[in-house]
Amino acid sequence: MNTLKPDIIFTYGTLRPGLGARPAAQAFRATAKHIGPASFQGRLYSIDWYPGVIDSDALGDIVTGDLFQLPQDPTFLEALDTYEMCSPALPEPHEYVRTIRTVLADGHAIQAWIYLFNQTITDQTRIISGDYADHISTD
């Protein structure tokens, strides 16, 4: 059984290039190496000023994002967990959970970290295009 954790992460919101101006997002992009575009089979929602994604089995539910190579620094994911509000130091239930999912990049299935929305979808607006860049350009 392969217990290795991936050293790449799929981003679909404010961590993507050009989509987040917060210092933590800028620090992420300055430290992690951008690999390129990728997609995930899921549904994208506008949670507040940021998006959230959930799993979906529907073939048409595709989320557009980017892959990044994580640095070797073991504290890097801890800092990301804090940014995504799912650090073990924060009270539960967490709004997001970091987990491993299969994403597609250049026609290849790749295992990557992803932050999934960890709350019930109620009145959040679905981003039908699956691309957060499309959503914020129309706000």
Side-chain angles (χ1 to χ4, degrees):
M1 182 169 140
N2 184 358
T3 58
L4 292 175
K5 301 295 184 193
D7 62 351
I8 55 177
I9 189 165
F10 175 79
T11 63
Y12 55 86
T14 61
L15 295 176
R16 288 179 65 197
L19 298 185
R22 291 179 175 258
Q26 292 177 346
F28 168 83
R29 290 189 300 270
T31 307
K33 180 184 177 208
H34 185 248
I35 297 171
S39 62
F40 170 71
Q41 188 170 347
R43 289 187 178 172
L44 186 65
Y45 291 88
S46 178
I47 305 304
D48 193 346
W49 54 269
Y50 53 88
V53 72
I54 61 171
D55 287 313
S56 174
D57 292 332
L59 294 178
D61 291 345
I62 302 297
V63 176
T64 299
D66 289 272
L67 289 179
F68 284 85
Q69 178 83 44
L70 297 171
Q72 295 297 313
D73 180 355
T75 65
F76 191 80
L77 276 174
E78 293 171 16
L80 271 180
D81 287 348
T82 299
Y83 176 77
E84 297 290 350
M85 301 299 290
C86 65
S87 166
L90 298 171
E92 293 192 26
H94 296 144
E95 190 172 31
Y96 290 87
V97 60
R98 178 171 44 90
T99 190
I100 300 168
R101 289 291 188 270
T102 301
V103 300
L104 270 172
D106 289 329
H108 300 296
I110 298 171
Q111 296 291 297
W113 290 113
I114 185 174
Y115 286 96
L116 295 178
F117 188 62
N118 193 37
Q119 303 293 316
T120 302
I121 297 295
T122 54
D123 60 353
Q124 291 89 348
T125 301
R126 182 158 174 216
I127 302 171
I128 300 295
S129 73
D131 190 339
Y132 186 60
D134 292 343
H135 177 71
I136 60 171
S137 67
T138 61
D139 281 355

